[in-house]
């Protein structure tokens, strides 16, 4: 499965990477998107869970890295007000 990495720009100007083991993430998050923290949480978590299920369907087991990525995402999101804007600046892979 082709993995996807997206660069996120946070409200404070910091950047980080968002990892998905599947291109399904691009149905939820695309370069150029500007999302509220609340919207990014909803879309990002849904994308990661769907990606994990795609891995399960193909290989017979879920992707545990998506669980770790979801935890990292939620921890990062907790730093900002729900109405703050996060940008998906580019696709890294």
């Amino acid at each position: 499965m082709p993995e996807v990495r997206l660069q996120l720009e946070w409200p404070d100007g910091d950047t980080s990477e968002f990892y998905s083991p599947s291109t399904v993430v691009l149905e939820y998050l695309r370069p150029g998107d500007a999302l509220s923290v609340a919207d990014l949480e909803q879309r990002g978590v849904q994308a990661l869970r769907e990606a994990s299920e795609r891995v399960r369907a193909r290989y017979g087991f879920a992707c545990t890295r998506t669980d770790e990525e979801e935890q990292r995402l939620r921890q990062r999101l907790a730093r900002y007000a729900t109405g703050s804007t996060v940008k998906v600046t580019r696709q890294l892979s």
Side-chain angles (χ1 to χ4, degrees), residues 5-8 30-32 87-93:
R5 294 178 305 122
L6 299 170
Q7 185 175 48
L8 304 178
R30 298 193 65 70
K87 297 174 187 169
V88 182
T89 56
R90 65 188 178 115
Q91 186 173 336
L92 301 169
S93 64

Side-chain angles (χ1 to χ4, degrees), residues 2 4 8 14 24 30 32 49 51 58 67 72 79 85 90:
V4 175
L8 304 178
D14 196 17
V24 72
R30 298 193 65 70
R49 290 180 181 175
R58 183 162 184 177
D67 294 337
R72 274 193 296 277
R79 298 181 193 175
T85 300
R90 65 188 178 115

Side-chain angles (χ1 to χ4, degrees), residues 30-86:
R30 298 193 65 70
D33 285 350
L35 309 163
S36 70
V37 166
D39 197 21
L40 176 59
E41 180 173 22
Q42 186 271 325
R43 288 186 191 196
V45 168
Q46 184 64 35
L48 289 169
R49 290 180 181 175
E50 190 169 328
S52 184
E53 287 307 310
R54 285 190 177 199
V55 170
R56 182 190 312 276
R58 183 162 184 177
Y59 298 107
F61 53 87
C63 177
T64 57
R65 186 166 174 192
T66 59
D67 294 337
E68 295 166 5
E69 189 67 20
E70 180 180 336
Q71 183 179 21
R72 274 193 296 277
L73 178 65
R74 287 184 188 274
Q75 288 173 346
R76 187 65 182 258
L77 290 164
R79 298 181 193 175
Y80 307 101
T82 57
S84 299
T85 300
V86 182

